[in-house]
């Protein structure tokens, strides 16, 4: 590795599995020390164990302001500064605007949108004091285009794009960049669960592999994304290589939103 994040301190939420784990591992491999945060204690502790001495772990429910405030405080206590926030934690669920309950709506907004604001709220003062930083927010192609079966998810991810642009505009003078990653289908356990539920509801008997092939065919590049695709983009946005990129909602979708 080339040390693209040498000397930097990062927080990655949702680091217990999937994109969050892959990104935390890549950040550490490139020289960062990483706070790995996740609601699943055993999973996030395993991520930190896999990384080694460059990582610490914290059990965090991102829907709780007190947990996020504690996560940031623990990061500062352990490392003394904060340069990178990757607000990646989130959930997904298939439903529709008629059948969705208010409880489903409020839970989705809390975890996928409010937590992104809370993460920035408690991180920004330390980045300002430290002379700048990079905030990366996890959105989705569902925040850019309409996708069936995801009304509350789409609303939350669209909100993340708007919040990202606002933070970039307001805190750019403080040398803080803020960008959003907008992935299409990446086969994390979360996404696989959504596909499986859609199949049950529709009576589709296709295997997960067959469903993935169908989804891949909708993308101009004829494949679905990988954990590495997202982690590599997060690394670029965290690094000084993207030093004049801010306020962007970057599609990571094999050309899907270009069609």
């Amino acid at each position: 590795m080339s040390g693209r994040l040498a000397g930097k301190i990062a927080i990655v939420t949702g680091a217990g599995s999937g994109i969050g784990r892959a990104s935390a591992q890549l950040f550490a491999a490139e020289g960062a020390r990483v706070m790995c945060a996740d609601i699943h204690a055993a999973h996030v502790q395993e991520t930190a164990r896999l990384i080694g001495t460059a990582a610490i772990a914290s059990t965090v429910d991102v829907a709780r302001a007190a947990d996020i405030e504690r996560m940031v405080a623990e990061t500062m206590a352990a490392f003394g500064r904060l340069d990178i926030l990757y607000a990646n934690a989130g959930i997904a669920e298939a439903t529709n605007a008629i059948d969705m309950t208010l409880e489903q709506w409020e839970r989705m907004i809390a975890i996928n949108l409010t937590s992104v604001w809370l993460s920035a709220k408690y991180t920004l003062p330390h980045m300002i004091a430290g002379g700048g930083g990079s905030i990366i927010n996890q959105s989705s192609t569902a925040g850019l285009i309409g996708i069936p079966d995801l009304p509350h998810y789409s609303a939350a991810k669209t909100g993340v794009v708007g919040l990202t642009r606002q933070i970039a505009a307001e805190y750019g003078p403080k040398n803080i960049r803020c960008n959003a990653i907008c992935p299409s289908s990446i086969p994390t356990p979360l996404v696989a669960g959504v596909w499986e539920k859609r199949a049950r509801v529709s009576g589709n008997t296709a295997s997960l592999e067959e469903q993935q092939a169908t989804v891949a065919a909708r993308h101009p590049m004829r494949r679905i994304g990988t954990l590495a695709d997202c982690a590599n983009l997060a690394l670029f946005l965290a690094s000084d290589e993207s030093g004049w990129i801010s306020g962007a909602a970057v599609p990571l979708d094999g050309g899907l939103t270009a069609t």
Side-chain angles (χ1 to χ4, degrees):
M1 295 294 177
S2 59
R4 294 159 71 188
L5 301 183
K8 295 187 182 293
I9 307 301
I11 291 175
V12 179
T13 67
S17 63
I19 291 168
R21 174 175 286 180
S23 299
Q25 289 178 300
L26 184 56
F27 285 9
E30 289 287 354
R33 289 177 289 173
V34 187
M35 160 61 84
C36 303
D38 198 283
I39 195 169
H40 300 291
H43 295 173
V44 76
Q45 288 165 8
E46 174 65 7
T47 299
R49 187 195 68 77
L50 289 169
I51 291 172
T53 57
I56 58 174
S58 184
T59 305
V60 174
D61 179 349
V62 294
R64 292 175 51 85
D67 278 19
I68 293 180
E69 185 176 20
R70 172 177 54 78
M71 170 189 76
V72 174
E74 289 174 356
T75 305
M76 293 301 297
F79 300 128
R81 61 178 293 113
L82 182 49
D83 305 290
I84 300 158
L85 166 67
Y86 186 8
N88 160 75
I91 59 171
E93 178 185 51
T95 184
N96 61 72
I98 296 173
D99 296 329
M100 177 175 55
T101 66
L102 180 60
E103 180 183 12
Q104 286 176 297
W105 171 270
E106 290 179 340
R107 180 170 180 263
M108 183 67 69
I109 297 299
I111 294 173
N112 282 18
L113 177 57
T114 304
S115 74
V116 175
W117 160 62
L118 288 170
S119 296
K121 171 183 173 64
Y122 291 110
T123 297
L124 279 164
H126 299 291
M127 287 187 172
I128 292 169
S134 175
I135 295 175
I136 306 156
N137 293 328
Q138 193 77 328
S139 183
S140 167
T141 51
L144 303 175
I145 60 174
I147 298 177
D149 302 324
L150 300 172
H152 49 349
Y153 182 84
S154 295
K157 294 302 188 178
T158 301
V160 169
V161 171
L163 178 62
T164 296
R165 290 170 175 157
Q166 193 282 327
I167 291 172
E170 183 157 354
Y171 295 99
K174 301 293 187 182
N175 195 34
I176 293 169
R177 298 182 295 111
C178 188
N179 295 288
I181 297 176
C182 300
S184 182
S185 298
I186 294 178
T188 64
L190 193 69
V191 171
V194 172
W195 287 348
E196 289 169 357
K197 181 176 180 181
R198 278 177 171 168
R200 287 197 306 271
V201 170
S202 66
N204 184 354
T205 59
S207 68
L208 182 59
E209 291 74 19
E210 290 169 332
Q211 291 182 63
Q212 288 179 352
T214 299
V215 172
R218 299 184 189 130
H219 295 72
M221 294 188 71
R222 298 298 187 265
R223 72 170 177 89
I224 54 178
T226 67
L227 299 181
D229 288 327
C230 201
N232 285 330
L233 178 54
L235 171 63
F236 171 68
L237 293 174
S239 75
D240 294 339
E241 295 164 19
S242 59
W244 211 45
I245 299 175
S246 193
V250 184
L252 182 68
D253 63 1
L256 179 67
T257 55
T259 60

